């Protein structure tokens, strides 16, 4: 397989295992390149990319921008807070205006699930989903799985527990799809109020006890509580959540086994994970961030070279 089976990167659900393997092989090459003294390649010269962020981001926005610079793309950056969206302009009008300036590729983060799919039906440019509401965050799942492969040797056969606010998490859904396509077993763990009903129909195990989840898994991906998406109280207090589901170094040490700790960020230190754990040898959190640049370079490079067959 030399090209992706998809024209856009809207979600992991649309990808085949071969697509993910091709992205990983391409990311391996780009990771070598970005660790050289001269980090820039001309692969996306004359390609213009618009980064449209309708929701806050640190890692994803900077990582995409850096990946575009490393590939020599021309970029324009749009943040909805400083745009004419605040004057009532619609998503389609905003994007069509930007695209009339001859943009080839759109990277979009939006609070509404399905916003990227909607856009893909109305415009010609290639679209990469940088997170759409509680739906999917495909490049995060790809960099997470790539980091597991790097840390554990392979993804196939590994047991991965995704722990925390599963209900409001686009990272959880994209990770479930990605890890299962690569042959991993997936468990979700959290209070019952933060686990979507019927999630076991996706083929995942469900556990409400943190220690049992940790005893089961090779890799634990800790998610933050997404208070900004919660309109009701799902648990009595952050302190109580932290006592039941906060990952501490004493708990990890008491397991007496190797375990890899991940977090997509942003971290709420002292809530879902202590600083001691986040900064410990168990943690590959900053490796995930580093790998994000190579993964996003690979995704943009492969999509730019996609040809309809
Ligand atoms: N992991 C992640 O998406 O982080 P940001 O919201 O900072 O982009």
């Amino acid at each position: 397989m030399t090209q992706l089976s998809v024209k856009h990167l809207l979600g992991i659900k649309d990808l085949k295992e071969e697509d993910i393997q091709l992205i990983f092989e391409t990311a391996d090459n780009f990771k070598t390149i970005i660790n050289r003294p001269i980090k820039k390649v001309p692969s996306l010269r004359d390609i213009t990319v618009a980064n449209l962020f309708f929701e806050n981001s640190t890692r994803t926005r900077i990582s995409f921008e850096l990946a575009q610079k490393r590939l020599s793309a021309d970029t324009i950056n749009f943040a909805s807070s400083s745009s004419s969206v605040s004057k009532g302009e619609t998503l389609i009008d905003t994007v069509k205006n930007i695209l009339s300036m001859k943009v080839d590729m759109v990277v979009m983060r939006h609070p509404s699930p399905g916003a990227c799919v909607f856009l893909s039906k109305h415009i010609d440019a290639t679209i990469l989903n940088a997170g759409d509401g509680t739906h999917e965050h495909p490049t995060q799942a790809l960099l997470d799985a790539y980091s597991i492969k790097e840390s554990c040797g392979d993804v196939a056969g590994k047991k991965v527990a995704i722990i925390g606010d599963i209900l409001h998490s686009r990272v959880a859904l994209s990770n479930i799809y990605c890890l299962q396509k690569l042959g991993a077993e997936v468990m979700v763990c959290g209070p019952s109020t933060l686990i979507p009903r019927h999630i076991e129909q996706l083929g995942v195990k469900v556990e409400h006890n943190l220690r049992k989840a940790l005893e089961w898994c090779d890799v634990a991906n800790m998610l933050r509580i997404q208070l900004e998406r919660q309109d009701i109280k799902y648990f009595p207090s952050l302190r109580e959540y932290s006592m039941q589901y906060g990952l501490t170094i004493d708990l990890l040490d008491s397991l007496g086994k190797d375990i890899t700790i991940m977090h997509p960020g942003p971290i709420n230190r002292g809530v879902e994970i202590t600083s001691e754990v986040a900064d410990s040898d168990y943690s590959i959190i900053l490796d995930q961030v580093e790998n994000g640049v190579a993964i996003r370079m690979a995704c943009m490079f492969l999509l730019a070279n996609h040809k309809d067959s």
Side-chain angles (χ1 to χ4, degrees):
M1 192 172 183
T2 53
Q3 75 158 6
L4 294 177
S5 66
V6 291
K7 179 178 182 286
H8 307 283
L9 181 57
L10 303 174
I12 301 290
K13 193 176 183 187
D14 306 329
L15 298 183
K16 300 185 165 94
E17 187 201 340
E18 297 79 44
D19 290 315
I20 300 172
Q21 299 295 1
L22 179 60
I23 292 168
F24 285 5
E25 284 160 25
T26 311
D28 284 344
N29 293 331
F30 284 129
K31 190 164 176 180
T32 308
I33 289 168
I34 59 181
N35 281 296
R36 293 193 318 214
I38 296 170
K39 301 173 173 57
K40 207 161 171 159
V41 286
S43 312
L44 288 194
R45 203 170 55 197
D46 297 329
I47 298 281
T48 304
V49 188
N51 297 310
L52 310 184
F53 279 74
F54 293 85
E55 200 184 68
N56 292 343
S57 169
T58 299
R59 277 146 294 273
T60 312
R61 185 174 56 76
I62 291 174
S63 180
F64 265 115
E65 278 183 47
L66 197 56
Q68 290 150 11
K69 287 188 199 317
R70 300 283 189 247
L71 293 167
S72 308
D74 295 319
T75 60
I76 49 173
N77 295 317
F78 164 96
S80 62
S81 53
S82 56
S83 75
S84 291
V85 169
S86 58
K87 300 175 197 163
E89 194 165 33
T90 65
L91 173 62
I92 289 288
D93 283 338
T94 302
V95 176
K96 281 192 169 164
N97 275 272
I98 292 169
L99 293 187
S100 67
M101 300 177 217
K102 308 290 176 237
V103 167
D104 305 293
M105 198 176 271
V106 171
V107 173
M108 186 168 83
R109 170 168 289 191
H110 199 280
S112 301
C116 294
V117 174
F118 173 73
L119 206 58
S120 71
K121 295 189 191 313
H122 290 87
I123 63 169
D124 288 332
T126 302
I127 298 170
L128 288 96
N129 181 359
D132 60 331
T134 54
H135 179 222
E136 280 227 40
H137 192 348
T139 55
Q140 180 68 47
L142 289 165
L143 74 88
D144 288 344
Y146 185 82
S147 301
I148 291 172
K149 185 175 176 208
E150 192 178 67
S151 171
C152 304
D154 204 350
V155 179
K158 293 291 172 299
K159 293 176 176 173
V160 182
I162 306 172
I163 298 165
D165 183 357
I166 312 298
L167 185 66
H168 300 97
S169 175
R170 55 193 171 213
V171 174
L173 187 59
S174 287
N175 260 269
I176 290 168
Y177 289 140
C178 191
L179 293 166
Q180 288 181 338
K181 283 173 199 260
L182 294 173
E185 276 186 81
V186 183
M187 171 186 279
V188 293
C189 173
S192 54
T193 50
L194 291 176
I195 304 282
R197 290 172 74 188
H198 310 303
I199 194 166
E200 60 281 357
Q201 289 178 5
L202 291 178
V204 300
K205 294 179 191 301
V206 178
E207 175 59 67
H208 300 296
N209 181 291
L210 177 62
R211 171 173 271 280
K212 284 188 182 162
L214 294 171
E215 283 170 351
W216 175 82
C217 71
D218 304 301
V219 178
N221 195 352
M222 305 303 297
L223 304 182
R224 79 184 166 89
I225 297 292
Q226 304 211 13
L227 289 174
E228 75 277 18
R229 297 193 203 281
Q230 297 185 8
D231 45 7
I232 59 168
K233 263 186 165 300
Y234 288 87
F235 48 87
S237 68
L238 278 180
R239 187 168 169 276
E240 182 156 331
Y241 177 84
S242 176
M243 284 167 63
Q244 296 288 327
Y245 292 100
L247 188 56
T248 64
I249 205 82
D250 288 346
L251 178 52
L252 279 181
D253 287 344
S254 73
L255 298 171
K257 65 170 192 176
D258 274 348
I259 183 166
T260 300
I261 302 300
M262 305 174 69
H263 196 307
I267 295 174
N268 287 152
R269 287 174 184 259
V271 180
E272 71 275 7
I273 190 169
T274 62
S275 284
E276 260 182 309
V277 175
D279 303 330
S280 72
D281 289 342
Y282 291 108
S283 161
I284 60 163
I285 294 172
L286 292 180
D287 298 329
Q288 292 172 255
V289 178
E290 181 187 341
N291 288 333
V293 178
I295 284 288
R296 289 177 175 118
M297 286 172 81
C299 291
M300 289 188 287
F301 172 76
L302 290 166
L303 288 170
N305 286 288
H306 177 85
K307 300 203 174 27
D308 288 327
S309 48

